[in-house]
Amino acid sequence: MRDESLLRDVLAELGDDRLRELAGELGTDARGAQRVVEATVSALPDSTGEGTLAGVISRISASTTATVAERTGFPPDSVSRALELLLPVVLSVIADHRRARK
């Protein structure tokens, strides 16, 4: 795991409602959605958060989708749709972490 506090904060930011929404996109339950969140956070490159939001998302989504699908067993199409919901939250939390370190 890249950063346990990042994972904790992403899960807190998502909350139960968005975690259920993510689970719906994946066709799973909340635990399955949490596994995708965990795999996503651990799959992100260390440079995540540098650049514009659109640039960062496009740069990491394809490789992250493949990694998360492989680690969780969910179909890549489902993971890709889930990452559309998840990555903005992850990037927001990363930005918060960086601001807190300054």
Side-chain angles (χ1 to χ4, degrees), residues 51-61 91:
T52 65
L53 179 61
V56 170
I57 289 174
S58 67
R59 191 170 65 238
I60 64 174
S61 66
L91 295 174

Side-chain angles (χ1 to χ4, degrees), residues 42-97:
S42 69
L44 294 174
D46 288 335
S47 63
T48 301
E50 297 172 5
T52 65
L53 179 61
V56 170
I57 289 174
S58 67
R59 191 170 65 238
I60 64 174
S61 66
S63 64
T64 302
T65 295
T67 301
V68 171
E70 183 179 311
R71 289 180 183 176
T72 62
F74 288 105
D77 288 345
S78 296
V79 170
S80 180
R81 287 191 307 275
L83 290 183
E84 289 176 12
L85 299 170
L86 180 57
L87 286 178
V89 173
V90 172
L91 295 174
S92 173
V93 171
I94 289 171
D96 290 346
H97 278 222

